[in-house]
Amino acid sequence: MNRLSSLLSGLLLMSALVAGNVLAGEPTPQAGPPMPAWEQLSPAQRHALVAPIRERWNSNPGERARIYEHAQRWRAMTPEQRARARHGLHRWERMDPARREQMRALFERMRALEPDQRRALREQWHAMTPEQRRTWVQAHPPSGD
């Protein structure tokens, strides 16, 4: 798993812990009995959940405010928004590097556009051939990580 997807996975886990919804017994995508509330977890189980976040938090002091902000935003999301975010993360993790580069370039470009311009670019993108998309990305490279 690359650095970005690892960080996103950690943020999702941290956000879920902050929100308390996953450990409070809400449905999980896994089969089996529901997980217990946080207070019912053993100290070893709590440590196993928190250790990766603690490590990421301690090793990235410059990112702490951003990590906390992401956790706050996650907490404010509806269950449907959280499901869409998880789905997007899983799609991202399965993408090949060339497709990720395309998506980075497209996302970066769309962020700078007005809604009607975004819509036009989206329509243009869907009408492009794979070769045209590669050419577009070369002309509009992502700024990088």
Side-chain angles (χ1 to χ4, degrees):
M1 196 164 18
N2 70 27
R3 182 175 169 253
L4 177 63
S5 60
S6 176
L7 180 60
L8 288 174
S9 296
L11 289 174
L12 288 175
L13 177 59
M14 180 180 199
S15 300
L17 291 173
V18 169
N21 67 337
V22 171
L23 297 174
E26 287 189 12
T28 63
Q30 304 154 357
M35 294 298 294
W38 182 261
E39 294 77 15
Q40 296 167 337
L41 294 173
S42 71
Q45 289 171 317
R46 291 180 190 180
H47 179 74
L49 288 168
V50 175
I53 297 163
R54 181 182 300 126
E55 181 180 319
R56 192 167 291 117
W57 182 271
N58 288 337
S59 65
N60 296 297
E63 294 291 313
R64 291 176 186 167
R66 192 173 67 83
I67 291 170
Y68 188 74
E69 178 187 327
H70 278 91
Q72 296 283 46
R73 275 194 290 163
W74 181 264
R75 186 174 187 188
M77 286 180 176
T78 65
E80 293 80 21
Q81 290 170 323
R82 290 178 186 175
R84 284 189 7 233
R86 283 187 198 100
H87 177 73
L89 175 61
H90 294 306
R91 282 185 59 203
W92 180 260
E93 289 174 337
R94 291 188 305 265
M95 274 185 204
D96 62 81
R99 180 84 168 135
R100 284 186 188 185
E101 182 180 12
Q102 287 181 350
M103 292 301 99
R104 280 188 190 104
L106 189 60
F107 179 76
E108 191 172 295
R109 179 75 176 146
M110 285 205 178
R111 286 177 64 180
L113 300 175
E114 296 295 321
D116 57 328
Q117 295 170 318
R118 286 183 195 154
R119 191 173 17 264
L121 178 56
R122 190 176 307 113
E123 290 170 7
Q124 177 188 0
W125 182 264
H126 288 295
M128 289 181 191
T129 65
E131 183 57 40
Q132 289 171 324
R133 289 178 181 175
R134 280 190 288 276
T135 303
W136 187 92
V137 171
Q138 289 172 349
H140 305 89
S143 62
D145 210 15

